[in-house]
């Protein structure tokens, strides 16, 4: 059944900057999605490459359906309002023993929006917990955009290899524990990250970036986004569904969108770095 948030849950989100866990898909459904992902990866040398993992819902019809799923969108609407766009989507996939990790950061460093009315819905495709590099958040840190710097770390999973340039109170961090099919929501200014996967199990989650429909970009240009609920306010060029898995027409559109997206991301990361 659709999951609407209670007034208390909405208040907690605004106070803490996150909500978790929330029910989204059944265990059987998410197992089917994981099987589909595994099948796709088998045709791509075992992994979805980074260049196909920025707006993955524009290449795989079943991910297009997922970002439109009412069980995800209902609680998102409760936070962001009736008009919602999907700005990006991609997997954070850590295989057993891999060194890949996500340093403490705020998403707002590279989204480039005019206001912070946006969030990430993180859907667990596998169990996600402290032992396998699960998501960690620092409650209440979503009030101010902080300076970030480049770590220079090739195992940093973020597009700009960024990390927040301030001391983070590790004692205040909360581990988000999710079972397959559950999700978390977190504000785009919330400080969060995740450690490497030191376990013997895969940790895979699908991050969907949703923004309020009235928002535009902070600096120049229009960008592209997918209208997933409500009406279009005309600030982004609207994206189209894929005709099939990696369909040639979808790939052509995606490659043009990717170039525009990456240029915007790196411009934003550079904008938020302190002067040398």
């Amino acid at each position: 059944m659709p999951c609407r948030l209670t007034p208390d849950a909405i208040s907690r989100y605004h106070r803490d900057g996150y909500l978790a866990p929330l029910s989204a898909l059944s265990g059987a459904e998410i197992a089917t999605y994981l099987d589909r992902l595994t099948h796709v990866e088998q045709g791509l040398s075992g992994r979805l490459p980074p260049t196909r993992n920025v707006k993955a819902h524009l290449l795989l019809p079943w991910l297009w359906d997922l970002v439109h799923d009412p069980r995800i969108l209902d609680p998102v609407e409760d936070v962001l309002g009736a008009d919602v766009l999907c700005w990006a989507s991609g997997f954070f996939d850590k295989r057993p023993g891999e060194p890949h990790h996500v340093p403490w950061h705020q998403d707002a460093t590279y989204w480039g929006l005019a206001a912070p009315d946006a969030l990430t819905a993180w859907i667990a495709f596998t169990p996600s917990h402290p032992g396998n590099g699960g998501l960690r958040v620092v409650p209440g840190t979503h009030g101010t955009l902080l300076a970030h710097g480049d770590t220079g770390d090739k195992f940093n999973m973020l597009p700009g290899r960024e990390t927040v340039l301030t001391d983070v109170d590790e004692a205040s961090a909360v581990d988000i524990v999710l079972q397959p099919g559950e999700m978390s929501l977190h504000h785009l200014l919330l400080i969060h990250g995740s450690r490497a996967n030191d376990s013997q199990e895969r940790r895979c989650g699908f991050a969907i970036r949703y923004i309020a429909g009235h928002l535009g970009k902070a600096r120049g240009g229009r960008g592209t986004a997918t209208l997933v609920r409500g009406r279009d306010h005309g600030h982004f060029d609207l994206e189209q569904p894929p005709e099939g898995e990696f369909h040639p027409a979808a790939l052509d559109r995606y490659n043009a969108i990717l170039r525009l997206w990456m240029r915007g991301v790196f411009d934003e990361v550079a904008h938020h770095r302190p002067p040398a």
Side-chain angles (χ1 to χ4, degrees):
M1 295 295 292
C3 174
R4 304 310 302 227
L5 298 178
T6 65
D8 177 65
I10 296 171
S11 294
R12 284 189 285 114
Y13 173 84
H14 289 300
R15 181 194 68 202
D16 298 334
Y18 78 98
L19 283 175
L22 298 173
S23 296
L25 280 68
S26 70
E29 287 175 300
I30 205 66
T32 298
Y33 276 110
L34 183 59
D35 286 344
R36 288 173 174 170
L37 175 62
T38 301
H39 177 74
V40 167
E41 291 170 331
Q42 288 172 347
L44 296 169
S45 301
R47 195 165 212 145
L48 193 66
T51 55
R52 297 292 178 254
N53 195 35
V54 169
K55 291 176 179 265
H57 67 285
L58 301 184
L59 296 174
L60 299 168
W62 46 277
L63 289 180
W64 178 272
D65 293 341
L66 186 58
V67 304
H68 287 82
D69 194 300
R71 293 167 294 181
I72 298 171
L73 285 175
D74 282 349
V76 170
E77 178 183 339
D78 289 338
V79 172
L80 295 182
D83 304 325
V84 183
L85 297 165
C86 175
W87 181 76
S89 70
F91 291 95
F92 281 83
D93 191 4
K94 298 177 184 176
R95 307 299 171 87
E98 286 186 342
H100 299 87
H101 62 281
V102 180
W104 293 121
H105 72 287
Q106 298 169 302
D107 292 333
T109 54
Y110 64 93
W111 290 30
L113 300 175
D117 300 331
L119 58 78
T120 292
W122 202 99
I123 296 94
F125 272 47
T126 67
S128 181
H129 52 78
N132 65 4
L135 180 67
R136 306 173 73 215
V137 302
V138 185
T141 54
H142 57 297
T144 304
L145 180 59
L146 303 170
H148 288 62
D150 186 345
T151 63
D153 181 357
K154 66 180 180 179
F155 298 117
N156 182 337
M157 299 178 77
L158 298 173
R161 302 183 306 187
E162 67 268 22
T163 188
V164 66
L165 296 177
T166 188
D167 291 332
V168 174
D169 181 7
E170 294 272 350
S172 298
V174 173
D175 290 297
I176 304 298
V177 177
L178 300 174
Q179 297 303 315
E182 292 183 330
M183 71 175 181
S184 62
L185 303 179
H186 68 259
H187 191 281
L188 97 158
L189 284 174
L190 187 73
I191 294 176
H192 62 288
S194 63
R195 297 187 176 107
N197 181 2
D198 294 325
S199 77
Q200 296 304 306
E201 64 176 349
R202 181 179 186 181
R203 195 229 65 169
C204 180
F206 186 57
I208 310 175
R209 318 299 195 169
Y210 290 115
I211 68 176
H214 66 272
L215 288 183
K217 293 186 66 178
R219 277 166 288 281
R222 288 174 56 81
T224 69
T226 299
L227 180 65
V228 293
R229 180 159 289 188
R231 69 180 182 90
D232 173 32
H233 290 242
H235 300 302
F236 290 86
D237 294 329
L238 296 184
E239 297 158 343
Q240 301 176 41
E243 293 84 351
E245 289 195 359
F246 301 110
H247 189 280
L251 277 167
D252 285 344
R253 293 192 301 269
Y254 180 89
N255 289 333
I257 289 169
L258 178 65
R259 288 191 292 271
L260 179 65
W261 187 90
M262 292 301 294
R263 185 163 59 245
V265 163
F266 288 122
D267 286 348
E268 286 299 317
V269 169
H271 177 80
H272 291 292
R273 283 182 186 143

